[in-house]
Every structure is written in C-alpha cells, then in structure tokens.
Amino acid sequence: MKLEEIYQNVIDGQAPAVQAGVAAALAEGMKADAILNQALIAAMDEVGRRFEAGDFFVPEMLIAARAMQAGLALLKPHLADAEVKSAGKVAIGTIKGDLHDIGKNLVAMMLEGAGFEVKDLGVDVAPETFVQAAKSGVRVIGMSALLTTTMPNMQRTIEALSNAGVRDKVKVIVGGAPVTEDYAKRIGADAFAPDASSATRVIRKLVS
Ligand code: B12
C-alpha cells in the first residue's frame, strides 16, 4: 500500500523514495491531505515518539525530517488546492549573536510536518525582526539559543515585544540546549520545550 510505503520511507530517512512515493500517489489521484496526514505527518509523529523513547537520536531525526521535507515540497502546490487548514503561523529564529541553527531548523521542520506555516527568520535575529514578525500576524514566536553569553537576548526580545505593544498578540516559546523551563518562566516566555517533537506538541496546545 502506497501510503504505508511513504510512511516507512520517511521513518527510514529515504528522501528519494519518499519523493517517488508521493509522486506516484499523486499520479494515482490520491488526495494531497491524505498523503500529508496519513503518511508524512504520521511518520514524523512516530519519529518524535522514537526520539523521546531514546530509540532515535538527532541524526536519525534530521534525516527523517529531510525526507519528510522532500515529500512536502512535492505536496505543497497540491495542498493549496486541497485547502488543508494551516495549524497556525509560527515565526522562529535563533536569537541575536547566536549562529547555531541545527536545532532551530529541526523544530521548524517538525512544525511544518505538523501542518504549521513556518516563517524561518534565520540566525542572529535582532529583537526588532521578531517584533516585525509579531506585527505581521504570526500567532507564535519561537526563539532558539545555544550560547549562554547571548541567551539574555531572549529576554530583550520579549521586552521589545512589550515596548512595541504586541506582546499580547503572540505566544512566545523558547528553547535550545542551555534554556530551561525555569529560565523561560523568569524571562516571561509563555512556554518552553526541550526538543523538536515536544515543541510541536506544546505549540499545538498554545494555539488551541
Ligand atoms: C554544532 C555546534 C556548532 C556549529 C553550529 C553549526 C550550525 N549551523 O548550527 C558551529 C561550529 C558553527 C559552532 C560555533 C560556535 N559554538 Co557551538 N556548538 C555546536 C554543538 C556541538 C552542537 C549544537 C547542535 O546543533 N546540537 C544539536 C541540536 C539538534 O540540538 P539543539 O540545538 O539543542 O536543539 C534541540 C533543542 O535544544 C530544541 N530547540 C532548539 N531550538 C529551539 C527553539 C524552540 C523555540 C524550541 C521550543 C526548542 C528548541 O529542539 C532541538 C531539537 O531537539 C554544541 C554542543 C552541544 N552539545 O550543544 C556547541 C556549543 C553550543 N557551541 C559552543 C560555542 C562556545 C561555540 C562558539 C562560540 C565557538 C567559537 N569559539 O567560535 C561558536 C559560536 C558562534 C556563534 N556566534 O553562534 C558552546 C556554548 C557554550 C556556552 N556555554 O554558551 C557549546 C555548548 C559547545 C561547548 N560545550 O562548549 N557551534
């Protein structure tokens, strides 16, 4: 069965096979939202479960995420037709002074896999850029930090959102290796998640 093959190939990180499977399924007239939900998203949910259980590590998760994205790229033009409801808009970036982006990219990929519209602001993102994103109508702002030296820029960004009068328009979630639940609370963020799969779960809750 085609959807099961796509599902398994995402978990195995076989990007070319995922693309071939998605192309074949579309050619057979299968609905884009069925391919998205029953194969791609279902597979990433399973990848997230395996990661949380300690059966998958970051490399497997990244390779699976790339395979999922390869399939997603083919589906995107058809999804607009199928009118798949976006789960919400999220802007995500690595804070000012910090160039680490592997974890941030992983979170962005998992969110896309879960049906969110993701605006990737990149790395070394100034507070003003997050403010612009908040003004553009995103519902969630995600900030990533890997360096303890520049971590305080998360708090500066939250202050900038307040000063610009848009703090209550968005939910703010923070993450990155040195970031903790306690730190998130102290700087006035709405949420924290320790990894990409739980980030998706927490953000689903934030926008529901
Ligand atoms: C790869 C790496 C680099 C690469 C980055 C490549 C890239 N494109 O990202 C390079 C080589 C460029 C680099 C540079 C530097 N690095 Co570096 N780097 C790392 C390393 C080894 C791995 C980071 C990583 O990608 N982990 C894998 C990802 C998947 O995990 P993650 O980022 O934690 O993300 C997960 C979660 O945290 C969470 N998450 C992440 N972001 C977000 C966001 C949200 C909203 C949510 C909810 C969740 C979430 O989900 C992710 C997936 O599960 C770490 C060591 C480590 N073990 O962390 C050091 C480390 C972060 N680096 C460090 C340092 C010091 C540097 C440099 C200053 C080195 C130097 N002297 O030049 C520079 C800084 C450059 C800069 N200005 O940013 C230190 C930081 C120490 C500290 N206390 O601050 C570390 C800890 C190494 C060490 N032990 O000393 N680095």
Side-chain angles (χ1 to χ4, degrees), residues 97-103 143-144 146-148 173 175-177 193-196:
D98 195 332
L99 302 175
H100 295 85
D101 69 355
I102 298 174
M143 284 191 264
S144 180
L146 266 286
L147 297 173
T148 47
I173 180 168
D195 54 59

Side-chain angles (χ1 to χ4, degrees), residues 91-99 104 119-135 141-144 150-162 164 166 172:
I92 187 166
T94 303
I95 53 159
K96 194 170 167 62
D98 195 332
L99 302 175
K104 184 262 298 169
K119 194 175 195 176
D120 190 342
L121 303 175
V123 296
D124 191 19
V125 179
E128 306 80 63
T129 308
F130 282 109
V131 169
Q132 285 303 321
K135 286 182 176 166
I141 299 250
M143 284 191 264
S144 180
T150 48
M151 242 166 98
N153 287 331
M154 285 185 158
Q155 184 162 10
R156 291 194 188 104
T157 302
I158 292 177
E159 283 162 8
L161 290 169
S162 298
V166 291
V172 175

Side-chain angles (χ1 to χ4, degrees), residues 97-118:
D98 195 332
L99 302 175
H100 295 85
D101 69 355
I102 298 174
K104 184 262 298 169
N105 292 345
L106 203 47
V107 173
M109 283 183 193
M110 292 290 281
L111 283 172
E112 283 196 349
F116 286 91
E117 235 177 280
V118 179

Side-chain angles (χ1 to χ4, degrees), residues 41-198:
I41 292 182
M44 288 314 285
D45 282 346
E46 175 59 20
V47 169
R49 267 193 294 278
R50 291 187 191 187
F51 179 73
E52 282 177 29
D55 298 331
F56 265 23
F57 296 96
V58 168
E60 285 99 337
M61 193 143 100
L62 258 180
I63 294 166
R66 285 205 191 112
M68 185 272 288
Q69 288 231 314
L72 197 61
L74 282 185
L75 272 189
K76 261 183 185 161
H78 301 270
L79 288 175
D81 298 346
E83 284 183 31
V84 173
K85 211 169 135 270
S86 163
K89 272 192 205 165
V90 180
I92 187 166
T94 303
I95 53 159
K96 194 170 167 62
D98 195 332
L99 302 175
H100 295 85
D101 69 355
I102 298 174
K104 184 262 298 169
N105 292 345
L106 203 47
V107 173
M109 283 183 193
M110 292 290 281
L111 283 172
E112 283 196 349
F116 286 91
E117 235 177 280
V118 179
K119 194 175 195 176
D120 190 342
L121 303 175
V123 296
D124 191 19
V125 179
E128 306 80 63
T129 308
F130 282 109
V131 169
Q132 285 303 321
K135 286 182 176 166
S136 78
V138 302
R139 296 178 68 188
V140 179
I141 299 250
M143 284 191 264
S144 180
L146 266 286
L147 297 173
T148 47
T149 44
T150 48
M151 242 166 98
N153 287 331
M154 285 185 158
Q155 184 162 10
R156 291 194 188 104
T157 302
I158 292 177
E159 283 162 8
L161 290 169
S162 298
N163 293 339
V166 291
R167 177 64 188 90
D168 56 357
K169 283 196 162 45
V170 289
K171 298 284 186 193
V172 175
I173 180 168
V174 293
V179 182
T180 61
E181 180 94 57
D182 183 56
Y183 183 77
K185 280 203 186 107
R186 260 190 289 144
I187 63 170
D190 297 299
F192 159 78
D195 54 59
S197 56
S198 61

